[in-house]
PDB file of all heavy atoms in Angstrom:
ATOM      1  N   MET A  66      -1.321  12.417  -0.811  1.00 37.00           N
ATOM      2  CA  MET A  66      -2.187  11.464  -0.394  1.00 37.00           C
ATOM      3  C   MET A  66      -1.329  10.072  -0.009  1.00 37.00           C
ATOM      4  O   MET A  66      -0.586   9.662  -0.647  1.00 37.00           O
ATOM      5  CB  MET A  66      -3.230  10.881  -1.462  1.00 37.00           C
ATOM      6  CG  MET A  66      -4.312  11.999  -1.677  1.00 37.00           C
ATOM      7  SD  MET A  66      -5.308  11.584  -3.139  1.00 37.00           S
ATOM      8  CE  MET A  66      -6.034   9.971  -2.491  1.00 37.00           C
ATOM      9  N   GLY A 151      -4.566  18.335   3.908  1.00 97.00           N
ATOM     10  CA  GLY A 151      -4.969  16.854   3.752  1.00 97.00           C
ATOM     11  C   GLY A 151      -6.273  16.669   3.347  1.00 97.00           C
ATOM     12  O   GLY A 151      -6.712  15.819   2.520  1.00 97.00           O
ATOM     13  N   LEU A 193      13.805  22.236   7.995  1.00 91.00           N
ATOM     14  CA  LEU A 193      15.209  22.509   7.811  1.00 91.00           C
ATOM     15  C   LEU A 193      15.706  23.285   9.075  1.00 91.00           C
ATOM     16  O   LEU A 193      16.751  22.899   9.676  1.00 91.00           O
ATOM     17  CB  LEU A 193      15.329  23.443   6.650  1.00 91.00           C
ATOM     18  CG  LEU A 193      14.848  22.847   5.279  1.00 91.00           C
ATOM     19  CD1 LEU A 193      14.866  23.861   4.221  1.00 91.00           C
ATOM     20  CD2 LEU A 193      15.567  21.642   4.937  1.00 91.00           C
ATOM     21  N   MET A 226      16.352  12.784   8.836  1.00 90.00           N
ATOM     22  CA  MET A 226      16.594  13.403   7.504  1.00 90.00           C
ATOM     23  C   MET A 226      17.714  14.497   7.565  1.00 90.00           C
ATOM     24  O   MET A 226      18.181  14.943   6.575  1.00 90.00           O
ATOM     25  CB  MET A 226      15.391  13.987   6.889  1.00 90.00           C
ATOM     26  CG  MET A 226      14.446  12.968   6.298  1.00 90.00           C
ATOM     27  SD  MET A 226      15.161  12.151   4.909  1.00 90.00           S
ATOM     28  CE  MET A 226      15.408  13.482   3.794  1.00 90.00           C
ATOM     29  N   ASP A 241       8.591  23.481  -4.919  1.00 84.00           N
ATOM     30  CA  ASP A 241       7.906  24.191  -5.994  1.00 84.00           C
ATOM     31  C   ASP A 241       7.662  23.339  -7.164  1.00 84.00           C
ATOM     32  O   ASP A 241       6.665  23.374  -7.905  1.00 84.00           O
ATOM     33  CB  ASP A 241       8.589  25.482  -6.251  1.00 84.00           C
ATOM     34  CG  ASP A 241       8.165  26.561  -5.298  1.00 84.00           C
ATOM     35  OD1 ASP A 241       7.297  26.369  -4.454  1.00 84.00           O
ATOM     36  OD2 ASP A 241       8.837  27.722  -5.310  1.00 84.00           O
ATOM     37  N   LYS A 252       0.645  10.818 -12.645  1.00 91.00           N
ATOM     38  CA  LYS A 252      -0.567  11.005 -13.277  1.00 91.00           C
ATOM     39  C   LYS A 252      -0.686  10.562 -14.751  1.00 91.00           C
ATOM     40  O   LYS A 252      -1.586   9.923 -15.106  1.00 91.00           O
ATOM     41  CB  LYS A 252      -0.978  12.555 -13.175  1.00 91.00           C
ATOM     42  CG  LYS A 252      -2.504  12.840 -13.414  1.00 91.00           C
ATOM     43  CD  LYS A 252      -2.740  14.347 -13.256  1.00 91.00           C
ATOM     44  CE  LYS A 252      -2.339  14.853 -11.909  1.00 91.00           C
ATOM     45  NZ  LYS A 252      -2.554  16.312 -11.787  1.00 91.00           N
ATOM     46  N   ALA A 291      -5.565 -16.436 -23.474  1.00 95.00           N
ATOM     47  CA  ALA A 291      -5.971 -15.420 -24.313  1.00 95.00           C
ATOM     48  C   ALA A 291      -5.791 -14.028 -23.653  1.00 95.00           C
ATOM     49  O   ALA A 291      -5.326 -13.021 -24.255  1.00 95.00           O
ATOM     50  CB  ALA A 291      -7.371 -15.465 -24.797  1.00 95.00           C
ATOM     51  N   ALA A 295      -3.389 -10.938 -24.777  1.00 96.00           N
ATOM     52  CA  ALA A 295      -3.997  -9.503 -24.995  1.00 96.00           C
ATOM     53  C   ALA A 295      -3.145  -8.484 -24.122  1.00 96.00           C
ATOM     54  O   ALA A 295      -3.000  -7.296 -24.527  1.00 96.00           O
ATOM     55  CB  ALA A 295      -5.520  -9.504 -24.584  1.00 96.00           C
ATOM     56  N   PHE A 307       5.802   3.476 -20.940  1.00 97.00           N
ATOM     57  CA  PHE A 307       6.019   3.108 -19.539  1.00 97.00           C
ATOM     58  C   PHE A 307       7.522   2.999 -19.269  1.00 97.00           C
ATOM     59  O   PHE A 307       7.982   3.350 -18.088  1.00 97.00           O
ATOM     60  CB  PHE A 307       5.435   1.610 -19.375  1.00 97.00           C
ATOM     61  CG  PHE A 307       3.969   1.530 -19.423  1.00 97.00           C
ATOM     62  CD1 PHE A 307       3.363   0.628 -20.337  1.00 97.00           C
ATOM     63  CD2 PHE A 307       3.241   2.157 -18.505  1.00 97.00           C
ATOM     64  CE1 PHE A 307       1.878   0.682 -20.406  1.00 97.00           C
ATOM     65  CE2 PHE A 307       1.908   2.150 -18.557  1.00 97.00           C
ATOM     66  CZ  PHE A 307       1.233   1.396 -19.432  1.00 97.00           C
ATOM     67  N   ALA A 347      17.372  -8.592   6.211  1.00 91.00           N
ATOM     68  CA  ALA A 347      17.126  -9.717   6.869  1.00 91.00           C
ATOM     69  C   ALA A 347      15.859 -10.415   6.464  1.00 91.00           C
ATOM     70  O   ALA A 347      15.761 -11.581   6.162  1.00 91.00           O
ATOM     71  CB  ALA A 347      17.194  -9.690   8.468  1.00 91.00           C
ATOM     72  N   VAL A 353      14.022 -14.856   0.231  1.00 96.00           N
ATOM     73  CA  VAL A 353      14.750 -15.526  -0.929  1.00 96.00           C
ATOM     74  C   VAL A 353      15.230 -16.914  -0.683  1.00 96.00           C
ATOM     75  O   VAL A 353      15.106 -17.839  -1.569  1.00 96.00           O
ATOM     76  CB  VAL A 353      15.832 -14.433  -1.432  1.00 96.00           C
ATOM     77  CG1 VAL A 353      16.699 -15.163  -2.530  1.00 96.00           C
ATOM     78  CG2 VAL A 353      15.312 -13.152  -1.967  1.00 96.00           C
ATOM     79  N   GLY A 500      -6.616  -9.023   9.404  1.00 95.00           N
ATOM     80  CA  GLY A 500      -8.096  -9.212   9.116  1.00 95.00           C
ATOM     81  C   GLY A 500      -8.211 -10.224   8.176  1.00 95.00           C
ATOM     82  O   GLY A 500      -9.206 -10.948   8.208  1.00 95.00           O
ATOM     83  N   VAL A 533       4.227 -12.321  -0.043  1.00 94.00           N
ATOM     84  CA  VAL A 533       5.577 -12.397   0.472  1.00 94.00           C
ATOM     85  C   VAL A 533       6.553 -12.653  -0.713  1.00 94.00           C
ATOM     86  O   VAL A 533       7.390 -11.764  -0.876  1.00 94.00           O
ATOM     87  CB  VAL A 533       5.754 -13.525   1.558  1.00 94.00           C
ATOM     88  CG1 VAL A 533       7.129 -13.645   2.029  1.00 94.00           C
ATOM     89  CG2 VAL A 533       4.825 -13.175   2.694  1.00 94.00           C
ATOM     90  N   GLU A 543      13.025  -3.762  -8.387  1.00 98.00           N
ATOM     91  CA  GLU A 543      13.253  -2.282  -8.221  1.00 98.00           C
ATOM     92  C   GLU A 543      14.708  -1.986  -7.900  1.00 98.00           C
ATOM     93  O   GLU A 543      15.194  -1.026  -8.356  1.00 98.00           O
ATOM     94  CB  GLU A 543      12.333  -1.868  -7.025  1.00 98.00           C
ATOM     95  CG  GLU A 543      10.843  -1.705  -7.480  1.00 98.00           C
ATOM     96  CD  GLU A 543      10.023  -0.811  -6.432  1.00 98.00           C
ATOM     97  OE1 GLU A 543       9.687  -1.401  -5.364  1.00 98.00           O
ATOM     98  OE2 GLU A 543       9.848   0.330  -6.569  1.00 98.00           O
ATOM     99  N   GLY A 605       4.722  -7.011   6.495  1.00 86.00           N
ATOM    100  CA  GLY A 605       3.442  -7.142   7.182  1.00 86.00           C
ATOM    101  C   GLY A 605       2.972  -8.610   7.359  1.00 86.00           C
ATOM    102  O   GLY A 605       2.423  -8.908   8.388  1.00 86.00           O
ATOM    103  N   ALA A 637      -1.664   3.195  18.511  1.00 95.00           N
ATOM    104  CA  ALA A 637      -0.264   3.915  18.543  1.00 95.00           C
ATOM    105  C   ALA A 637      -0.080   4.495  17.248  1.00 95.00           C
ATOM    106  O   ALA A 637       0.740   5.678  17.313  1.00 95.00           O
ATOM    107  CB  ALA A 637       0.750   2.962  18.869  1.00 95.00           C
ATOM    108  N   ALA A 658      15.253 -14.941  13.385  1.00 82.00           N
ATOM    109  CA  ALA A 658      14.334 -16.092  13.802  1.00 82.00           C
ATOM    110  C   ALA A 658      12.866 -15.568  13.647  1.00 82.00           C
ATOM    111  O   ALA A 658      11.960 -16.396  13.434  1.00 82.00           O
ATOM    112  CB  ALA A 658      14.694 -16.524  15.244  1.00 82.00           C
TER     113      ALA A 658
END
Side-chain angles (χ1 to χ4, degrees):
M66 288 174 63
L193 304 175
M226 283 295 296
D241 279 351
K252 199 176 299 176
F307 292 121
V353 170
V533 178
E543 283 192 278

